[in-house]
Amino acid sequence: MAKALLGYVGGPDPRMLSEMRRLQQRVQDLESELLRMQAENDALTAVADEHSLLRSIDLDQREPALT
């Protein structure tokens, strides 16, 4: 019964192997897309930091908050 549950009878199922290869390729594609997007995000963050409005505020010239 264990052989039947594992699909062992008659050797490996070609459809199963094909699906495994397809899923492994999909995982690799998604991992490379993730790395590309992280690099793009890091580049955008660096540009945003350079042009940040917070850097243009002169803290010595700030006005007191109204209470």
Side-chain angles (χ1 to χ4, degrees):
M1 182 166 175
K3 289 181 181 180
L5 291 174
L6 295 174
Y8 184 76
V9 178
D13 184 7
R15 292 172 296 173
M16 180 78 73
L17 294 175
S18 174
E19 182 69 7
M20 285 287 285
R21 279 190 224 105
R22 187 187 71 79
L23 291 173
Q24 288 171 342
Q25 183 61 47
R26 181 69 176 141
V27 167
Q28 288 176 354
D29 292 345
L30 290 172
E31 287 174 341
S32 64
E33 180 73 10
L34 177 64
L35 290 174
R36 184 191 66 77
M37 292 180 88
Q38 285 175 334
E40 183 179 340
N41 187 46
D42 292 344
L44 290 171
T45 301
V47 169
D49 286 344
E50 290 177 8
H51 300 314
S52 175
L53 290 175
L54 293 176
R55 291 182 183 225
S56 65
I57 296 173
D58 186 8
L59 295 179
D60 294 329
Q61 299 296 327
R62 65 180 180 219
E63 295 179 13
L66 299 174
T67 58

